[in-house]
Amino acid sequence: MNVTEKIQAILGQLNSVIAGKAPQVQDSVTCLLAGGHLLIEDVPGVGKTTLASALARTFGLQFARVQFTADLMPSDLTGVSVYDRGKEDFIFHPGPVFTQVLLADEINRASPKTQSALLEAMEERQVSVEGATRALPQPFFVIATQNPFEQLGTYALPESQLDRFLMRISLGYPERAAERELLCGQNRRDILAGLPAVLGAGELAALQAAVGRVHASDALLDYVQDIVAATRSGRWFVQGLSPRAGIALLHAARAQALIEGRDYVAPDDVQAILPQCTAHRMVPVADAGRGAVEQVRAMIDEVPLP
């Protein structure tokens, strides 16, 4: 299969599990092809964990799930050294972070200290435990789910951690036809258990390399810079996008273009992923009267196309 056929096979399999959520499924694939981390924010029971599990199985990656709770400690994620009497030495027992896809379920139910334990892993693809630095498996993706902040027992994610997520998406309630399919169809856990890996060893790395080869013209780069400048103008947001966020936006747009079957980035690609890549990084100005996603969409209408 060529690149387009592989991507369509991935999307087709995921959409067979996550009914009626094709845009969110494509965003998830875009995020992973771009090598980023994904944050899924929504109420319990709408399929966040199912989507994360389906992504890992479809991409053929090692998978681990951690249920974040108020008493979860950083060492529960990274691992701990235990004294072995027979060897008369401390033996390191790696934690669940040593995997290729880590599902951090309900991440905002853990304390800020535990949330911050993921920072180094997400940014550097390594962890420092007891004075030693240990590399994580490659590739390494964090797919985190979080409940709305107004629910009991949740902690707001710090800005530094939100910035580590390339994209934030929300699944929302299913439409009536999709919900009927869920009511009458096969149990989603049974479907997950039988999902085959669409990609073989090394194929994900090849797709990610193809993302890096997608061309971005000077005019397109000007457009991205105009968008970043608009976020910093003070008209729309309290604080604008960082240079790192701008780089992440462009890389996600390259992945979006590849999924659409093109070898160049178009303004439509940037617009398609802009709210998902930027809204969680910024706070609208006080008199905006709308949420961050709606503010991003209002802003993009004011930025001239190249």
Side-chain angles (χ1 to χ4, degrees):
M1 292 190 292
N2 60 31
V3 169
T4 301
E5 290 172 340
K6 288 178 183 176
I7 292 174
Q8 291 307 310
I10 291 168
L11 293 173
Q13 178 161 293
L14 290 171
N15 284 319
S16 70
V17 181
I18 312 298
K21 297 296 177 183
Q24 291 90 335
V25 166
Q26 180 163 322
D27 285 340
S28 303
V29 174
T30 298
C31 186
L32 295 190
L33 291 183
H37 303 294
L38 179 66
L39 179 62
I40 308 175
E41 181 182 82
D42 222 319
V43 296
V46 294
K48 302 188 298 293
T49 304
T50 301
L51 174 58
S53 300
L55 282 165
R57 289 180 178 272
T58 299
F59 278 88
L61 300 173
Q62 181 187 1
F63 178 73
R65 176 182 179 273
V66 177
Q67 181 65 50
F68 277 58
T69 58
D71 59 351
L72 188 74
M73 300 296 293
S75 59
D76 296 329
L77 287 175
T78 58
V80 65
S81 293
V82 178
Y83 187 74
D84 188 310
R85 290 176 179 269
K87 297 182 179 179
E88 296 184 347
D89 197 5
F90 284 91
I91 305 300
F92 179 70
H93 294 262
V97 75
F98 287 88
T99 188
Q100 292 177 311
V101 176
L102 175 68
L103 171 58
D105 210 4
E106 296 187 310
I107 187 173
N108 61 334
R109 290 200 181 277
S111 67
K113 182 177 181 180
T114 302
Q115 291 174 6
S116 65
L118 278 178
L119 280 178
E120 182 185 12
M122 294 173 69
E123 185 66 20
E124 305 294 339
R125 267 65 172 183
Q126 65 183 27
V127 293
S128 297
V129 183
E130 299 169 355
T133 300
R134 293 177 169 86
L136 296 173
Q138 296 298 324
F140 175 71
F141 301 120
V142 172
I143 302 175
T145 70
Q146 73 170 1
N147 299 318
F149 297 140
E150 61 269 16
Q151 292 199 354
L152 294 176
T154 60
Y155 300 83
L157 292 178
E159 293 177 358
S160 57
Q161 184 154 342
L162 282 173
D163 195 50
R164 263 66 175 185
F165 288 101
L166 175 60
M167 300 178 75
R168 181 185 67 180
I169 65 171
S170 177
L171 293 177
Y173 293 116
E175 295 180 354
R176 188 176 182 88
E179 191 159 20
R180 177 60 65 90
E181 182 180 339
L182 293 173
L183 292 170
C184 300
Q186 186 181 0
N187 185 287
R188 270 8 197 195
R189 291 185 180 179
D190 295 337
I191 295 176
L192 280 174
L195 279 186
V198 174
L199 298 183
E203 288 187 299
L204 175 56
L207 285 178
Q208 290 178 327
V211 169
R213 293 192 296 269
V214 174
H215 178 66
S217 67
D218 288 341
L220 191 283
L221 295 177
D222 288 339
Y223 183 54
V224 171
Q225 286 191 285
D226 289 344
I227 291 172
V228 172
T231 68
R232 299 170 181 170
S233 67
R235 176 184 173 189
W236 306 97
F237 299 98
V238 175
Q239 187 172 333
L241 293 175
S242 68
R244 176 170 58 190
I247 294 169
L249 171 63
L250 179 60
H251 203 54
R254 283 190 163 106
Q256 173 73 13
L258 186 70
I259 288 176
E260 296 295 337
R262 284 182 277 99
D263 61 358
Y264 63 91
V265 183
D268 287 349
D269 300 316
V270 178
Q271 294 180 359
I273 51 86
L274 186 64
Q276 301 91 304
C277 286
T278 62
H280 61 289
R281 305 172 192 263
M282 300 183 295
V283 177
V285 293
D287 60 349
R290 52 192 165 211
V293 171
E294 291 75 19
Q295 188 78 330
V296 170
R297 289 173 177 155
M299 181 196 71
I300 197 66
D301 291 337
E302 299 288 331
V303 179
L305 288 169

